[in-house]
Structures are given as C-alpha cells and as structure tokens.
Amino acid sequence: MAEFKHTGNRRVLTGQVVSDKGDKTIVVRVETLVKHPLLKKYIRRRKKFMAHDPANDCGVGDKVQIVESRPMSRRKRWHLVQILEKAV
C-alpha cells in the first residue's frame, strides 16, 4: 500500500468498511459517541465517508484509518491511510 503524505491540520478518522463496490473507492462508516446535553447519556452517532483506495486493498468489514484530502470527485474527499485490521 502506498504511503500517503500529508501536511497541516487534517482530520484522521477510524472506521469500518461497509462497501467496496466502486473502483478505487470504499465507503467507511465512522461511529462517534456524543453526550446528550439534557440526559447526559452517550449516544452513538454514525456517518459514512467515501474514501480513495488506490490499490483496491480493502474489503467489507476491514477496520481502516482515513485522512482528509483534496476533493477527488463529487462525494470523495478522504484518502485511505492504512488498514488496521482485516476482516475474517
């Protein structure tokens, strides 16, 4: 896998691959915990990001790390940094 070089303050997120149907594209679901302002309980929020996978290495279920990058298409603004854990 090619090492992605980045500079500046770019967000780095960790999530799970939910789709790898597109060519050199993966869809990553990122879960975050947000504290409810009134109830003080933690709520799980999910959001999907499209990321660039130049070598088509990822499969569904892989745990990956993505970083913000320049727009590559209409919805793709993230780049795959590394695969943290392969799916079974």
Side-chain angles (χ1 to χ4, degrees):
M1 178 172 31
E3 188 65 32
F4 183 68
K5 195 173 186 179
H6 63 287
T7 58
N9 297 329
R10 294 185 179 186
R11 291 191 295 166
V12 177
L13 299 175
T14 303
Q16 189 172 15
V17 177
V18 292
S19 174
D20 61 350
K21 300 284 184 195
D23 184 35
K24 297 182 181 178
T25 302
I26 55 173
V27 179
V28 181
R29 185 180 67 212
V30 177
E31 288 189 357
T32 56
L33 289 175
V34 179
K35 196 173 197 178
H36 192 281
L38 183 64
L39 302 177
K40 309 299 185 209
K41 293 172 89 172
Y42 284 98
I43 303 167
R44 187 174 282 121
R45 297 275 186 214
R46 293 178 179 163
K47 189 164 181 179
K48 291 195 285 188
F49 297 95
M50 294 184 81
H52 187 61
D53 178 14
N56 282 327
D57 290 331
C58 292
V60 176
D62 292 353
K63 189 174 179 182
V64 296
Q65 194 174 36
I66 56 175
V67 67
E68 245 178 346
S69 67
R70 64 179 178 82
M72 281 167 259
S73 67
R74 184 169 66 99
R75 293 183 56 211
K76 194 161 61 165
R77 276 119 171 88
W78 295 82
H79 196 98
L80 176 69
V81 177
Q82 64 178 337
I83 301 172
L84 301 174
E85 190 179 304
K86 290 293 277 184
V88 176

